[in-house]
Amino acid sequence: ADMAMYRVKRSGGNQVLHFDAAMGEPSERQQLERDLGTALSGHELRLHYQGRYSLRTSQLVGFEALLRWQHSTRGLIPPATFIPLAEETRLILPIGEWVLREACRQAAEWRCAERSLCVSVNVSALQFDLPHFVEIVRAALADSGLPARHLILEITESLVTRDLERARQHIGRLKALGVQIAMDDFGTGYSSLSMLESLPFDELKVDRSFTRHLNTERQPRVAAMLSAMIQLAQTLDMTVTVEGIEDACQHDLLRALGCDHAQGFLLARPLPPEEAVALIPAAALSPGASPAPS
Ligand code: C2E
Ligand code: MG
Ligand code: MG
Ligand code: MG
């Protein structure tokens, strides 16, 4: 879609907003922006959870928390629409902190630690840039009781390429806390192999654009690239997750290529918590863990 620029008068003075033509008139966008300001306090934001699976054992290894906005009159608004808006208005800061706290709370309630499951949370660049971001994460873990190593923070390469030194510092401090760090959407944008080598990521999430092309005439070339990315990541001691697995062909090919984990509609869609909980196997508590409270 063509991006048009509109000069919009706002309380803080004149500001240039990027306006996606598909979203309608600027006034509509301003309205959405205003609504987003109250979405959090109005309990219109929810987290859905998508299961992540081991390709070796087929077992659930965790969940990715994905934000949903149930708008009072417009219905469900996808993150691709409102996350950019939340970033522009910096509302992503309170929203992102809520996501982190809610995901940790939910994971603790599901006793993810006793079940060897992790919860993954997407972190936007603005959050990551906060000098006290590590303290926010520490507080979310402490208040929820979730052990740090069961939290995976997903960051994107654009975030890292903004300021490699700051990224290195924050990642170092988060890892000292015990939190795991994943590089999300890898292979799109400005992927830098040296960045992959120089930062201690625990997980590499290969963007689903690769998976999609496995079903086209580009299959041999894309499979070769996936194979190389998987081997590279594993050589660097990272777990590899491939996103967007939608059919059995893709699933079997990635398993044959030695990919560790998979996420996609074939395995599980993002689900509201009351449905996602059913993905957790009934007898998954590790030996020695105390029985669930009745
Ligand atoms: P992401 O982090 O790469 O999340 C994966 C996206 O792929 C999700 O889209 C998920 O629903 C979708 N997906 C998973 N499996 C499949 C599949 O098999 N086929 C297809 N076609 N799609 C699949 P969703 O939930 O719409 O989220 C889009 C993006 O919005 C996320 O991409 C993430 O970058 C961002 N996002 C979502 N929640 C949050 C959040 O709490 N904070 C921040 N900062 N960003 C978020
Ligand atoms: Mg993600
Ligand atoms: Mg992401
Ligand atoms: Mg992704």
Side-chain angles (χ1 to χ4, degrees):
D2 278 358
M3 293 287 277
M5 296 261 277
Y6 289 80
R7 198 164 281 278
V8 183
K9 211 170 179 65
R10 300 206 295 183
S11 51
N14 283 327
Q15 268 187 287
V16 177
L17 292 179
H18 293 276
F19 173 68
D20 186 339
M23 256 171 69
E25 296 303 308
S27 61
E28 189 183 329
R29 187 192 163 102
Q30 283 177 299
Q31 169 114 32
L32 208 57
E33 195 177 302
R34 203 192 56 205
D35 292 351
L36 188 57
T38 55
L40 191 54
S41 55
H43 304 285
E44 293 182 356
L45 298 181
R46 282 205 88 187
L47 291 181
H48 282 195
Y49 295 87
Q50 185 177 30
R52 311 172 53 231
Y53 290 83
S54 161
L55 276 170
R56 265 189 293 275
T57 67
S58 300
Q59 282 185 351
L60 184 76
V61 294
F63 295 97
E64 178 171 3
L66 294 161
L67 193 54
R68 300 289 179 261
W69 182 9
Q70 187 66 52
H71 190 282
S72 53
T73 54
R74 290 163 196 254
L76 197 67
I77 303 179
T81 304
F82 72 85
I83 298 273
L85 201 62
E87 285 175 340
E88 250 166 47
T89 56
R90 298 181 71 85
L91 282 168
I92 194 66
L93 296 179
I95 291 173
E97 183 168 350
W98 175 81
V99 169
L100 189 63
R101 290 186 160 274
E102 177 57 17
C104 289
R105 187 204 62 75
Q106 184 65 81
E109 187 190 300
W110 284 341
R111 310 181 76 222
C112 282
E114 292 95 318
R115 301 168 197 268
S116 305
L117 301 174
C118 290
V119 68
S120 303
V121 173
N122 292 284
V123 175
S124 118
L126 282 175
Q127 293 174 269
F128 204 74
D129 280 350
L130 290 173
H132 60 292
F133 179 64
V134 180
E135 301 317 315
I136 291 175
V137 174
R138 190 200 306 275
L141 288 167
D143 292 349
S144 65
L146 183 72
R149 67 192 178 84
H150 295 273
L151 174 64
I152 304 176
L153 296 178
E154 298 194 355
I155 63 179
T156 59
E157 51 200 10
S158 62
L159 186 154
V160 172
T161 50
R162 275 157 58 113
D163 186 341
L164 187 64
E165 271 323 300
R166 188 202 293 266
R168 191 190 309 284
Q169 277 177 26
H170 278 194
I171 291 172
R173 291 176 57 208
L174 288 162
K175 291 207 54 158
L177 209 60
V179 170
Q180 299 187 62
I181 310 288
M183 163 100 320
D184 202 359
D185 305 337
F186 184 75
T188 61
Y190 302 93
S191 305
S192 153
L193 292 177
S194 64
M195 170 201 79
L196 202 61
E197 183 275 324
S198 69
L199 293 173
F201 293 110
D202 299 281
E203 181 188 7
L204 188 71
K205 297 192 85 172
V206 177
D207 193 75
R208 76 164 184 270
S209 51
F210 292 94
T211 325
R212 205 170 50 226
H213 289 128
L214 284 177
N215 298 53
T216 69
E217 75 288 349
R218 288 158 66 176
Q219 201 252 22
R221 296 165 65 88
V222 173
M225 290 196 65
L226 282 165
S227 173
M229 283 189 272
I230 290 165
Q231 284 183 48
L232 177 65
Q234 289 173 346
T235 303
L236 298 174
D237 271 332
M238 298 173 198
T239 301
V240 192
T241 298
V242 172
E243 304 187 292
I245 310 273
E246 293 184 355
D247 62 50
C249 264
Q250 297 169 342
H251 177 272
D252 294 351
L253 183 68
L254 284 159
R255 190 212 292 264
L257 291 176
C259 180
D260 300 294
H261 295 163
Q263 196 175 325
F265 293 170
L266 174 73
L267 302 159
R269 289 191 171 255
L271 298 167
E274 59 275 14
E275 291 175 43
V277 69
L279 302 177
I280 302 174
L285 285 184
S286 53
S290 52
S294 50

